[in-house]
DNA sequence: GTCTATAACTTGATAGAC
DNA sequence: GTCTATCAAGTTATAGAC
């Protein structure tokens, strides 16, 4: 691995662990096994190196989410795959965690990858939900765009609750609560073309929020 | 206001704006209009002062949330009051934002107010939802505890999305999506004692997720 | 490309005068 | 109680040797 690469990887790790404000060039150099001169030769200071590291982390997050959301199955199964993927909950989100950092949100070049990542993620989820709605899996009243924002927010907020409690449980509880609510958004009427009797409709109700 | 008070207030502001790692004793002293000696006379260094400030912010957050959740109305109306209260969305949560700070979560004295605040908040919401469930307003299948975690997570995650986008819209969208899902958790059968006809049941369905 | 030296400044705290 | 002086260590670079 080149020195430039090592510096980016070290910066990614430190940004995740300590944020931008809490990460010093010295710490980056030590972790990367590179000297001062190397760092300033390859990058334009701390901000330039951080920008490269944040863009890299954003790419990786996208690749991972893409795997979950493009899995086979119904819309709800894809959303469930995304929500229940294994995560290092107590470490938090590599991208979302940076949103709290004042120097990240103040610098457009550092903030843009965050905005783009969450925008892309909401777009992907919106598409999955909208397809589920149009196929008759989800209720016609579902607002796919708003629901997508809710899903992403639950994950990001779950991290906050887990780190506050030093325990992953609140994260999983929040996800569980969301999944139950989403199951309540399954269409009660059948997809276009079928005509269920009233009895079918009524019988399906008690299980609306069950697993 | 006493010098001790001024130092606490200044620290509260700076913790909100810049986090713990990003806040220096010097900045606190300047904002409070106090010298080095004053600060170290009243508090045991940066950590001690921060602990007092975090506890103060936690108390204030609780008082505010209590006002929303103890308002009159149905369970859903109380939850809605909490979720739609006016917030300075782009500033983020004074308490939740600190969960990202490595030095906050590493120090039990600094992290405990966060854990207690979110624990208390989830307890309050659980109680509101459970009352709604038992009264027949909400579906019997609702998991009050998990749903409470989801609600808190949406707010905290909404802040993350808004700060990432430098725009309050994603916050409001996430809350909107959650409120629509919660309306889908309204009981379809009437409270115990009433016996609605099938017609009423069917007619109520199309509005399940509407406003 | 990578290294060390140096610089100007900030950080977090202590000492002691008043 | 509040102030200024002082301090060792760290921060974010730049300069120039190799």
């Amino acid at each position: 691995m080149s020195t430039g690469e090592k510096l980016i990887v070290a910066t990614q790790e430190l940004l995740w662990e300590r944020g931008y404000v809490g990460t010093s060039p010295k710490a980056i150099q030590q972790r990367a096994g590179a000297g001062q001169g190397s760092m300033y030769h390859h990058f334009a200071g701390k901000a330039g190196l951080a920008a490269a590291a944040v863009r890299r982390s954003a790419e990786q997050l996208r690749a991972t989410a893409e795997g979950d959301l493009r899995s086979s199955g119904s819309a709800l199964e894809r959303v469930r795959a995304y929500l229940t993927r294994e995560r290092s909950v107590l470490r938090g989100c590599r991208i979302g965690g940076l949103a709290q950092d004042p120097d990240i949100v103040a610098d457009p070049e550092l903030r843009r990858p965050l905005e783009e990542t969450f925008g892309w993620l909401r777009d992907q989820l919106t598409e999955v939900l909208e397809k589920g709605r149009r196929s008759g899996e989800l209720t016609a009243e579902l607002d796919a765009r708003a629901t997508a924002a809710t899903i992403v927010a639950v994950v990001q907020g779950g991290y906050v609750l887990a780190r506050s409690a030093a325990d992953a449980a609140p994260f999983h509880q929040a996800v569980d609560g969301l999944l139950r609510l989403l199951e309540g958004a399954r269409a009660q009427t059948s997809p276009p073309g079928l005509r269920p009797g009233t009895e079918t409709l009524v019988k399906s109700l008690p299980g609306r929020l069950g697993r």
Side-chain angles (χ1 to χ4, degrees), chain A:
Chain A
M1 190 159 37
S2 71
T3 302
E5 274 299 307
K6 283 193 289 190
L7 284 165
I8 289 180
V9 171
T11 306
Q12 284 185 280
E13 292 174 3
L14 283 164
L15 287 179
W16 196 359
E17 293 168 18
R18 307 207 31 92
Y20 181 79
V21 169
T23 297
S24 70
K26 189 181 185 180
I28 294 170
Q29 292 150 25
Q30 287 177 337
R31 187 168 300 206
Q36 293 262 88
S38 281
M39 188 188 122
Y40 286 100
H41 171 75
H42 289 284
F43 299 95
K46 178 180 170 179
L49 176 47
V54 173
R55 283 195 298 267
R56 177 72 61 86
S57 292
E59 282 167 23
Q60 292 169 346
L61 188 150
R62 263 140 98 140
T64 304
E66 210 152 28
D68 300 326
L69 293 170
R70 304 241 163 128
S71 63
S72 60
S74 68
L76 235 43
E77 279 167 351
R78 289 179 194 210
V79 170
R80 182 184 293 275
Y82 169 69
L83 283 171
T84 60
R85 177 220 312 163
E86 199 184 315
R87 289 176 162 88
S88 44
V89 175
L90 291 183
R91 297 181 71 185
C93 177
R94 281 175 302 178
I95 297 299
L98 299 173
Q100 195 53 41
D101 207 301
D103 291 0
I104 293 277
V105 296
D107 183 338
E109 206 188 338
L110 290 171
R111 187 184 59 75
R112 196 174 309 118
L114 278 59
E115 179 171 12
E116 288 172 356
T117 299
F118 289 125
W120 173 88
L121 193 50
R122 289 198 286 141
D123 286 348
Q124 296 295 306
L125 281 163
T126 299
E127 201 180 309
V128 168
L129 293 168
E130 186 59 24
K131 274 184 187 164
R133 197 183 70 87
R134 280 201 296 260
S135 76
E137 178 193 352
L138 301 172
T139 178
E141 285 83 8
L142 186 85
D143 184 330
R145 188 114 200 97
T147 308
T150 303
I151 291 168
V152 180
V154 166
V155 172
Q156 294 299 317
Y159 283 127
V160 172
L161 300 186
R163 286 178 61 89
S164 295
D167 181 355
F171 178 97
H172 297 298
Q173 207 164 22
V175 165
D176 186 53
L178 174 62
L179 283 170
R180 287 165 182 265
L181 289 174
L182 285 171
E183 291 191 28
R186 278 202 295 235
Q188 300 303 308
T189 54
S190 296
L194 288 178
R195 290 276 173 163
T198 300
E199 192 189 2
T200 303
L201 182 63
V202 172
K203 274 179 65 180
S204 71
L205 283 172
R208 277 172 53 247
L209 289 170
R211 297 294 295 261

